[in-house]
Structures are given as structure tokens and as C-alpha cells.
Amino acid sequence: MRREVKVKITLSEGYEERFTKACIQVAKRRVENQEKESHPDPAMPARKVAVM
């Protein structure tokens, strides 16, 4: 038996901006971690990538 559930969501002011910034930070960390994993010499730091 399937029941229908209705949900009303009210987003707080500034939510979209905070969410976008958080997504950018996660993507930036993911790129940095992938570069570290694929870098042949762990003594050499991975290059930083600017995400805007």
C-alpha cells in the first residue's frame, strides 16, 4: 500500500548562497585529493586549483 506524503519546505534566507559555497568547497577538496592520490612523489605538494 502506497501513501502519498506532502511536504512543504521553507528555505531560510541566504540558503542558496551557503549551499553553493559548500558545493564549491567539496568540489575543490575532491580535486585536491584526486591530485594528491595521482601524484607520483608524495614529497612534492600537489598544485592548487582555483575554483570560482
Side-chain angles (χ1 to χ4, degrees), residues 5-31:
V5 177
K6 294 184 181 185
V7 178
K8 182 178 180 181
I9 298 174
T10 305
L11 302 176
S12 63
E13 191 173 321
Y15 168 79
E16 190 174 340
E17 184 179 342
R18 291 190 310 274
F19 180 78
T20 303
K21 283 182 181 181
C23 289
I24 290 170
Q25 286 179 331
V26 168
K28 189 177 183 180
R29 273 189 246 130
R30 181 175 291 164
V31 168

